[in-house]
């Protein structure tokens, strides 16, 4: 049977997962009466809630006499490690570009990786039904991007299709015919080469890993040479060629629509999943026992941000979660690092903490959110940027930031980012009344910036960022401009006390919430921290008058999400995360300890 392996790559929200939904429906992968969820490839809860793809996933469909394996990839820069891995499994890519937005940072990132591997892309300009579509300008921008990324003459000769994945059509002409996605599938069969097959015994590079409660570890990759069937003896080699483990294949699974089906024999060129091994992981080579040389795995871009994960040692620890020991947290983090090559885990300064390095706040927040739902209780430190030394110079990561914003807010946005050591590189109109601003900004300056941007622009700005390079350290940045209100006692917050504290600043908690000494309950109007009493009730007397019994009307508190909390906290603060709550607290709960530590920090 003829075979094609392709990946669909694009910026976040440009329609990859929706396109795959329609491809599966139109190719007859579902039964007539089968109920199919929208965005069927986004299988886990967080992907569904946030509307983004986090994990790369494989599906497969039959088109005429050809089986097409399709990989759906994440579009968010924080999950770029997933995209880098899976590009080694495919022989072609479909680049999806929004007909209004044009190429965005993640389009540039994934396209650069695809071109470097010698893949010849097919460009699909999607969402052409939008009222503000500008397909001719977008096509020019895509061509300029190919040139800027040093594409070869063969890669520059790319086929272009126009259409709308949501409406279920693609065509070589923007005006149609607006019927089906058949032109795209025909173009894949015609333009993408068949997988190259090497001679020799069975070899396969592992690109993704997951756990199954019945089969144990499932390792997915593309077979480079030979064949494999259940019962075959195999062994695993790491990058250096050292044997990791020996075993037997318990099952060979292939992708059929949204399901995985057991197959008799996995043949060279096909993407399959193998069960039966215990410790093998991503970038290892699974092969026949006679093979001694591994397949070379592409190096992955290094992490740029690190966060400290600790046990929850606050007064309310253990009330909401059942996984609170450092041993359990360590095992969970090590399991995550095995399957996710873009995350690195190292032991912290004490036995109860771990430094977890990743690509960005969103990637780390998704890991924390997953652990929280599994019943873990953690305290998380402020995200820190990973510096590196080069010839005695301290280098820091800089990100390319692209912001689409209404014209009236451009001044505020540029001012805020230049204060944060950003450099403006480009500014141009991007539609009626909108401007696209490009800047190079240090990664550490962007921690916690997104909520501020949304409040500055009344929620209208579209913010995109992508790692650019390492540059010499740019100096100190302005910190958070306000102090915090800290509880001076333990108990339940009282509405009357919070009402009296509203003059001091915005509250972060409601009335009737469990609080403890050292917990942050609000934002101070001034620069210093202030200890306050949120437990003090009203002194009741036996005199009743309208003026005495003034109704307590509290202002709605400022509730921070997990990502906002990570960006909000200062160096001497933690975010306490439990299955039901997100609290902010000082590292040192006792006020005397805090004073002692601040004196020690000043003298140092």
């Amino acid at each position: 049977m003829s075979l094609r392996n392709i990946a669909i790559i694009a910026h976040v929200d440009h329609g990859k997962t929706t396109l795959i939904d329609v491809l599966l429906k139109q190719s007859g992968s579902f039964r007539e009466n089968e109920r199919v969820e929208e965005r069927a490839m986004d299988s886990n809860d967080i992907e569904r809630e946030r509307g983004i793809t986090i994990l790369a996933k494989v599906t497969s469909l039959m088109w005429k006499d050809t089986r097409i394996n399709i990989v759906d990839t994440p579009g968010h820069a924080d999950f770029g490690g997933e995209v880098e891995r899976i590009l080694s499994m495919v022989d072609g890519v479909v680049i999806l570009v929004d007909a209004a937005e044009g190429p965005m940072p993640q389009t540039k990132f994934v396209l650069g990786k695809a071109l470097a591997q010698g893949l010849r892309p097919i460009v699909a300009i999607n969402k052409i039904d939008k009222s503000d579509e500008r397909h001719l300008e977008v096509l020019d921008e895509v061509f300029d991007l190919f040139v800027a990324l040093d594409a070869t003459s063969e890669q520059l000769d790319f086929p272009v299709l126009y259409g709308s994945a949501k409406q279920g059509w693609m065509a070589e002409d923007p005006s149609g015919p607006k019927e089906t996605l058949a032109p795209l599938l025909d173009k894949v069969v015609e333009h993408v080469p068949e997988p190259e097959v090497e001679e020799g015994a069975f070899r396969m590079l592992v690109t993704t890993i997951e756990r199954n409660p019945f089969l144990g570890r499932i390792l997915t990759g593309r077979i480079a040479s030979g064949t494999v069937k259940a019962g075959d003896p195999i062994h695993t080699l790491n990058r250096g060629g050292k044997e990791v483990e020996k075993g037997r294949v318990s099952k060979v699974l292939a992708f059929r629509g949204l399901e995985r089906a057991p197959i008799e024999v996995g043949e060279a060129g096909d993407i399959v999943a193998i069960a039966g091994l215990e410790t093998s992981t991503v970038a290892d080579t699974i092969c026949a026992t006679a093979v001694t040389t591994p397949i070379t795995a592409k190096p992955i871009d290094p992490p740029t941000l690190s966060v400290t994960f600790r046990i929850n040692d606050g007064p309310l620890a253990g009330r909401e979660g059942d996984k609170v020991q450092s041993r359990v947290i360590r095992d969970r983090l090590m399991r995550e690092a095995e399957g996710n090559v873009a995350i690195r885990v190292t032991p912290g300064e004490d036995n109860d903490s771990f430094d977890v390095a990743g690509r960005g706040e969103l990637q780390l927040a998704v890991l924390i959110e997953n652990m929280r739902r599994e019943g873990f209780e953690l305290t998380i430190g402020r995200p820190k940027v990973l510096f590196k030394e080069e010839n005695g110079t301290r280098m820091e990561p800089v990100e390319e930031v692209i912001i689409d914003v209404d014209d009236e807010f451009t001044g505020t946005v540029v001012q805020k980012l230049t204060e944060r050591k950003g450099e403006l590189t480009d500014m141009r109109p991007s539609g009626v009344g909108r401007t696209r601003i490009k800047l190079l900004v240090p990664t550490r300056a962007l921690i916690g910036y997104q909520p501020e941007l949304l409040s500055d622009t009344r929620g209208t700005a579209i913010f995109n960022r992508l790692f650019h390079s390492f540059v010499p350290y740019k100096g100190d940045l302005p910190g958070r401009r306000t102090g915090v209100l800290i509880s001076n006692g333990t108990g339940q917050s009282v509405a009357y006390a919070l009402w009296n504290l509203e003059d001091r600043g915005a509250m972060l908690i409601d009335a009737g919430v469990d609080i403890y000494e050292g917990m942050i309950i609000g934002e101070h109007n001034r620069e210093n921290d202030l200890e306050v009493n949120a437990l003090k009730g009203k002194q009741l007397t036996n005199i009743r008058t309208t003026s005495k019994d003034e109704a307590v009307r509290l202002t709605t508190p400022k509730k921070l999400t997990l990502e906002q909390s990570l960006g909000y906290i200062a160096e001497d603060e933690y975010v306490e995360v439990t299955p039901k709550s997100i609290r902010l607290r000082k590292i040192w709960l006792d006020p005397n300890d805090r004073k002692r530590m601040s004196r020690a920090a000043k003298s140092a």
Side-chain angles (χ1 to χ4, degrees), residues 241-399:
K242 194 171 165 215
E243 186 174 275
V244 178
E245 68 171 319
K246 282 185 173 176
R248 280 185 184 275
V249 177
S250 63
K251 256 203 169 84
V252 181
L253 305 162
F255 298 88
R256 300 289 179 257
L258 295 177
E259 304 298 318
R260 275 210 188 98
I263 53 170
E264 291 289 318
V265 179
E267 297 184 353
D270 202 358
I271 296 174
V272 298
I274 286 178
L277 293 168
E278 289 295 314
T279 56
S280 303
T281 186
V282 171
D284 289 348
T285 303
I286 303 175
C287 48
T289 45
V291 177
T292 53
T293 51
I295 301 170
T296 52
K298 292 270 186 302
I300 300 287
D301 284 354
T304 56
L305 211 62
S306 130
V307 160
T308 303
F309 281 56
R310 293 180 69 260
I311 57 165
N312 183 8
D313 52 5
L316 303 179
R319 288 194 187 182
E320 295 172 4
D322 52 3
K323 295 173 180 165
V324 292
Q325 307 93 331
S326 59
R327 172 181 53 81
V328 181
I329 294 169
R330 179 185 175 280
D331 291 348
R332 174 66 180 83
L333 290 174
M334 290 304 176
R335 207 164 67 236
E336 183 69 28
E338 271 178 13
N340 188 342
V341 287
I343 276 183
R344 198 171 61 216
V345 180
T346 48
E349 292 170 7
D350 56 18
N351 293 334
D352 294 331
S353 69
F354 307 93
D355 287 329
V356 180
R359 286 281 178 87
E361 286 162 276
L362 179 63
Q363 186 190 26
L364 294 167
V366 165
L367 169 59
I368 296 164
E369 184 63 44
N370 275 326
M371 288 177 71
R372 168 186 185 197
R373 290 178 185 203
E374 290 163 21
F376 283 87
E377 286 200 9
L378 308 157
T379 49
I380 311 290
R382 180 171 168 80
K384 295 192 283 285
V385 166
L386 298 172
F387 299 103
K388 67 177 189 180
E389 292 281 328
E390 259 183 34
N391 306 326
T393 311
R394 194 182 191 197
M395 309 289 279
E396 69 169 329
V398 163
E399 305 206 10

Side-chain angles (χ1 to χ4, degrees), residues 43-114:
S43 50
N44 76 35
D45 292 345
I46 296 184
E47 288 183 320
R48 292 204 157 281
E49 285 163 26
R50 292 176 183 246
I52 57 172
T53 303
I54 293 170
L55 302 167
K57 301 176 201 72
V58 185
T59 184
S60 157
L61 55 87
M62 282 298 297
W63 182 247
K64 297 174 181 172
D65 298 326
T66 306
R67 174 161 296 286
I68 303 176
N69 289 321
I70 305 174
V71 188
D72 183 19
T73 62
H76 208 286
D78 283 23
F79 309 108
E82 290 281 324
V83 185
E84 289 174 68
R85 281 205 314 246
I86 61 90
L87 285 176
S88 62
M89 285 202 294
V90 298
D91 307 293
V93 290
V94 175
I95 291 206
L96 221 55
V97 184
D98 188 303
E101 289 184 3
M104 297 294 271
Q106 184 67 6
T107 321
K108 180 179 174 182
F109 171 78
V110 289
L111 177 59
K113 298 284 179 194

Side-chain angles (χ1 to χ4, degrees), residues 17 35 45 59 87 121-122 153 155 194 208 239 248 413 428 430 449 454 518 563 577 580 586 595 597 599:
T17 309
R35 181 172 171 268
D45 292 345
T59 184
L87 285 176
I122 296 168
S153 51
Q155 288 170 330
E194 287 219 17
T208 63
R239 279 180 174 166
R248 280 185 184 275
V413 172
R428 62 177 66 181
S430 70
Y449 172 65
L454 291 176
E563 284 109 293
V577 180
K580 294 179 186 167
K586 288 288 182 184
K595 282 174 192 158
M597 294 316 290
R599 279 201 299 271

